[in-house]
Amino acid sequence: QVQFSESGGGLLQPGQSLRLSCTASGVNLLDRMDWYRQAPGKQRELVASFPLSGSLTIADSLKGRFFISRESGKNTVYLQMNNLKPEDTAVYYCHTLLYGTDHWGQGTHVFVSA
């Protein structure tokens, strides 16, 4: 059973930066770890993906502000968010797909407001 530990959310002002962390346990090295987010009243959307093989993925609208990284050889992934905007307000979830099953973290809240 995959278990996630997410951290780093909080209340920010526009223009500030924040780094989210996610560590998965209970499994061997995961092929892919992702960050999703769900804003109030909106569908959950992919923010970034870090596969062990293949290319990193960042949502087009977030390129240049958001960056994903992963500790080598570990199930720990980070999401660096820069120049935050009010529209980045959302619950951010760690995710992986393992043997065809989606696994989600509990989410960490990011609130951006002046």
Side-chain angles (χ1 to χ4, degrees):
Q1 181 70 18
V2 182
Q3 292 184 330
F4 292 105
S5 176
E6 298 155 319
S7 62
L11 174 61
L12 285 298
Q13 292 185 337
Q16 290 187 313
S17 297
L18 187 67
R19 189 177 80 159
L20 305 181
S21 301
C22 171
T23 297
S25 60
V27 290
N28 293 328
L29 192 62
L30 293 169
D31 177 63
R32 192 184 93 193
M33 295 184 73
D34 314 309
W35 284 102
Y36 280 75
R37 71 181 183 182
Q38 188 165 18
K42 295 187 177 182
Q43 290 187 329
R44 195 171 295 190
E45 62 177 355
L46 178 66
V47 173
S49 181
F50 196 119
L52 288 181
S53 58
S55 301
L56 302 180
T57 301
I58 303 288
D60 287 342
S61 62
L62 302 175
K63 288 179 179 177
R65 292 197 300 123
F66 284 29
F67 303 89
I68 189 170
S69 61
R70 183 170 176 176
E71 288 196 30
S72 179
K74 296 184 179 180
N75 287 332
T76 297
V77 66
Y78 303 99
L79 183 67
Q80 177 67 40
M81 305 184 291
N82 299 326
N83 189 23
L84 282 162
K85 303 177 180 181
E87 52 263 41
D88 296 320
T89 294
V91 180
Y92 286 73
Y93 296 93
C94 201
H95 167 269
T96 193
L97 184 67
L98 186 61
Y99 303 123
T101 300
D102 291 300
H103 296 269
W104 298 95
Q106 78 283 359
T108 184
H109 292 250
V110 175
F111 187 75
V112 184
S113 176

